[in-house]
Amino acid sequence: MSDWTSAKNNSDASDNAAEEIYQDYKKSITLPLKKPARQFVLCPVGLVGSGKSTVVKALAQKLFLVPISSDELRRRLKERGFKYDRAKELAMRMGCEFIEGGYSVAFDMNCGSPGSKKDIVQIEKKYGIPVVWIHVNPPEEFIVQKLKNYPHSWLFRDGEDAVEGYFKYKEKHGDFGSIDFICSIDTSLDDLPKQIENAAKIIYEKYF
């Protein structure tokens, strides 16, 4: 019997259960066709609903990055009755493994929150590779309207819950300090594909 089959809702994942989730998710990741000549870490910064996943997925494909989603780990933890507490830990561990394997990685999470930023700085120091910060920053009214129409899913009960979650998260993690962004992307605009293409060009010219 797997460790999570008898787990109570909102319990902490045991080491064995976390390892199963970790390995299961890792196997699902499609690796890029080539490794970069110069490694780097792509770190998006943005609040809930800003469109980080959309941007990260597109840039990961264009720049041959390994995408690592904390939300995907959170979803897998929740499906098995566990709290989210270990998602960031597992994501950072996975990033380190792929970096050690010679890949560049893209973290699909808000890397600007205090805990995540601290972990990213440690990775930067440990491996001596650059961190590329991008700001995913549409207007708040765009995010709120998007979240109001959020469908029932594992992440939020409904749109009202999603909007409430956004403001709670903003209050706790909304100050991103003096991060040196290589670019800012507004996911509310119709030219989003062009913005992503321009961001990829800037990053490619600097790090490839």
Side-chain angles (χ1 to χ4, degrees):
M1 179 181 292
S2 173
D3 279 51
W4 60 63
T5 54
S6 59
K8 296 180 181 179
N9 287 335
N10 296 321
S11 63
D12 290 317
S14 68
D15 288 343
N16 287 341
E19 185 64 23
E20 286 186 52
I21 291 168
Y22 179 90
Q23 295 298 338
D24 183 56
Y25 175 49
K26 186 178 179 183
K27 289 176 184 176
S28 74
I29 295 175
T30 301
L31 297 179
L33 297 176
K34 65 179 182 179
K35 296 179 180 180
R38 183 185 179 193
Q39 288 177 277
F40 64 91
V41 180
L42 181 70
C43 293
V45 173
L47 294 172
V48 174
S50 60
K52 295 184 298 296
S53 293
T54 298
V55 173
V56 167
K57 288 176 183 177
L59 288 177
Q61 290 180 346
K62 292 177 180 296
L63 298 170
F64 305 103
L65 311 176
V66 179
I68 299 169
S69 170
S70 64
D71 270 357
E72 183 58 28
L73 286 162
R74 290 170 69 198
R75 182 184 68 80
R76 290 167 185 255
L77 285 164
K78 183 167 185 177
E79 283 179 349
R80 292 157 178 80
F82 298 123
K83 294 190 291 187
Y84 297 149
D85 293 1
R86 303 195 67 172
K88 182 168 71 69
E89 164 206 335
L90 297 176
M92 293 298 170
R93 173 189 160 194
M94 193 172 298
C96 289
E97 284 197 19
F98 281 118
I99 289 169
E100 290 170 1
Y103 291 98
S104 288
V105 302
F107 286 112
D108 183 0
M109 65 177 74
N110 177 25
C111 296
S113 66
S116 297
K117 187 177 179 183
K118 181 180 178 180
D119 289 338
I120 296 296
V121 170
Q122 290 177 343
I123 288 175
E124 183 179 24
K125 291 179 178 178
K126 180 178 181 179
Y127 297 106
I129 60 177
V131 173
V132 179
W133 297 94
I134 59 171
H135 198 190
V136 184
N137 189 34
E140 181 167 271
E141 54 268 27
F142 171 81
I143 296 176
V144 171
Q145 188 59 42
K146 173 183 172 182
L147 292 176
K148 282 182 178 178
N149 296 319
Y150 200 91
H152 173 76
S153 75
W154 68 273
L155 187 56
F156 298 112
R157 292 189 303 272
D158 51 31
E160 183 178 346
D161 184 47
V163 173
E164 181 181 350
Y166 165 79
F167 283 108
K168 285 182 178 179
Y169 188 87
K170 179 185 177 183
E171 182 178 359
K172 189 176 181 180
H173 299 298
D175 183 6
F176 301 130
S178 56
I179 296 175
D180 186 15
F181 296 112
I182 197 169
C183 65
S184 181
I185 295 177
D186 184 346
T187 51
S188 73
L189 300 178
D190 292 337
D191 70 342
L192 179 58
K194 184 178 180 180
Q195 291 183 69
I196 292 173
E197 189 66 39
N198 288 339
K201 183 179 179 182
I202 292 170
I203 297 169
Y204 188 91
E205 290 176 349
K206 188 167 183 178
Y207 295 103
F208 281 75

